[in-house]
Amino acid sequence: MENFEFVSPTHFVFGKGAEEQVGSKLAECGARTVLLHFGGQSAVKSGLIDRVKASLDAQGIKHVELGGVRPNPEITLAREGIALCKEHDVDWVLAVGGGSVIDSAKAIAVGAHYDGDVWDFFETKRPTDDVLPIAVVLTIPAAGSEASKNTGALQMKSGYANNAQRPKLAFMNPELTFTLPPFQTAAGLTDMFCHLLERFFDDVGAVPVTDNLCLSLMKTVRAEAPRVMVDPENYDARANVMWAGMLCHQGLAGVGRHEDWATHGLEHELSAYDTTVTHGAGLACLFPAWMEYVYDANPARFAQYGYEVFGLAPTGDIESDALSAIDETRMFFASLGMPISLGELGLDEDNIEDAIAEMIPTLRENKGEPFGSFKKLTMEDAAEIYRLAL
């Protein structure tokens, strides 16, 4: 087990009607003025934003609204939020939404007390403790941003990690996820499963306590996925998925390991190249391709994953078992309705080389070279993985 530091300051309020406690919990924390940050119109039309505002009003907490967060959020909206925080003396940022909204809220919280441009933190990666506290009303379980130290990626797909930006409060009502479209549900399930893959596959040997937590979460996601796809209002299935999504990316499932994150880096460039590509869909295409490219570095690790998560029986041929585990991964994503090749996303042999030429320079800038942990990769390796994903 490698040395590690682990911080988890998030206070979770989980269950039916959790969002109705927003005002009282923030009042207990001394909040006076919050920036209410959200995405498109779905949270407004559903009445969720009005319920949250009513909860704040009941406690005399002022609020300033900033909506409009899109998938693959942009730094320009975060800058607008920072200006509002400074203008209205905001002391909490309240994100209502999924990973994109929470990531945007984190960027706002980091920049609210900073005299320069918040993008400085994304470029330099330097830490800061002068961060506004963040609360979250989660509507899309996927990114795990409601408890993580990460701001996934804004503009040029560059992320930022800082324990000071872990949300202090997370309100998690599984009922808020009942109306998610099937594709969005499937993409979220894929994303959280891939968060575990990034942690399980690295260059560290066995770390049983972490490995078993990781494998258990993978089995849970795999078991609950078909239940929520078939019966989207199954409260217990939605609750298990929502809590698993948080645990998949909070960090506990990776302590003592180096973690890999090569595939997320590859996908971030893909969805920056084509902003219509949903993050989970891109991962469903790229992860099996990465697996096929790197498994020979430690076939036994892949075989173990296949035995534990998919119930594969050992054949006595470790390499064959490793490849079977990769096939099962691809079939799992396909069973959710996810694309499993870049061809399904509009890339083919005629345009893949142009896409690679555009993605590689920013991949090198964001990840460095070599990158990854399970098997060190060059930019040439990255190009081959993109081609393999066709």
Side-chain angles (χ1 to χ4, degrees), residues 9-79:
T10 310
H11 177 149
F12 298 99
V13 181
F14 190 99
K16 297 176 181 179
E19 70 277 10
E20 296 170 7
Q21 299 186 52
V22 168
S24 60
K25 293 297 183 184
L26 281 170
E28 289 175 12
C29 294
R32 299 180 303 275
T33 305
V34 305
L35 177 70
L36 179 56
H37 198 36
F38 54 95
Q41 290 299 305
S42 59
V44 176
K45 292 177 180 178
S46 69
L48 176 58
I49 296 298
D50 283 342
R51 294 200 304 277
V52 170
K53 289 194 292 186
S55 182
L56 295 171
D57 291 340
Q59 298 295 326
I61 299 173
K62 299 177 183 177
H63 44 86
V64 182
E65 295 181 36
L66 179 63
V69 181
R70 302 185 301 179
N72 303 317
E74 297 177 353
I75 196 68
T76 51
L77 188 66
R79 291 181 179 126

Side-chain angles (χ1 to χ4, degrees), residues 81-301:
I82 290 166
L84 287 172
C85 288
K86 293 178 177 179
E87 178 183 354
H88 296 277
D89 196 23
V90 165
D91 53 13
W92 275 76
V93 180
L94 173 59
V96 179
S100 293
V101 175
I102 302 169
D103 287 347
S104 183
K106 287 178 178 177
I108 292 169
V110 167
H113 290 162
Y114 181 56
D115 290 334
D117 184 10
V118 67
W119 191 248
D120 293 345
F121 293 100
F122 289 82
E123 289 189 323
T124 65
K125 312 300 182 187
R126 71 176 184 267
T128 176
D129 292 327
D130 197 4
V131 178
L132 284 180
I134 302 163
V136 173
V137 177
L138 185 66
T139 63
I140 305 173
S145 194
E146 64 273 12
S148 78
K149 66 181 180 179
N150 302 96
T151 301
L154 281 80
Q155 186 179 313
M156 288 180 62
K157 284 297 177 179
S158 180
Y160 176 67
N162 183 354
N163 277 315
Q165 66 179 4
R166 287 183 186 264
K168 299 295 189 291
L169 283 165
F171 301 88
M172 303 172 71
N173 177 1
E175 292 180 320
L176 298 181
T177 70
F178 284 1
T179 57
L180 285 175
F183 182 84
Q184 197 165 29
T185 296
L189 290 162
T190 302
D191 191 15
M192 62 181 71
F193 193 85
C194 290
H195 286 158
L196 297 169
L197 295 177
E198 296 282 18
R199 292 177 163 90
F200 186 74
F201 293 106
D202 70 354
D203 59 347
V204 176
V207 184
V209 64
T210 300
D211 291 352
N212 288 326
L213 176 59
C214 210
L215 290 166
S216 176
L217 284 167
M218 284 190 235
K219 287 189 284 188
T220 298
V221 173
R222 179 171 174 260
E224 298 296 346
R227 296 178 69 199
V228 297
M229 296 304 295
V230 171
D231 183 9
E233 295 191 11
N234 183 321
Y235 180 85
D236 288 334
R238 287 287 193 183
N240 283 321
V241 165
M242 179 172 265
W243 193 241
M246 183 281 295
L247 289 169
C248 289
H249 200 40
Q250 176 216 28
L252 193 61
V255 295
R257 309 202 65 87
H258 291 153
E259 308 183 7
D260 189 80
W261 298 105
T263 311
H264 267 70
L266 292 165
E267 199 295 315
H268 285 155
E269 301 309 325
L270 176 65
S271 53
Y273 171 77
D274 181 353
T275 57
T276 66
V277 173
T278 301
H279 180 55
L283 288 171
C285 299
L286 289 169
F287 231 112
W290 172 86
M291 289 175 155
E292 289 182 354
Y293 195 81
V294 306
Y295 83 93
D296 60 348
N298 188 350
R301 188 73 172 169

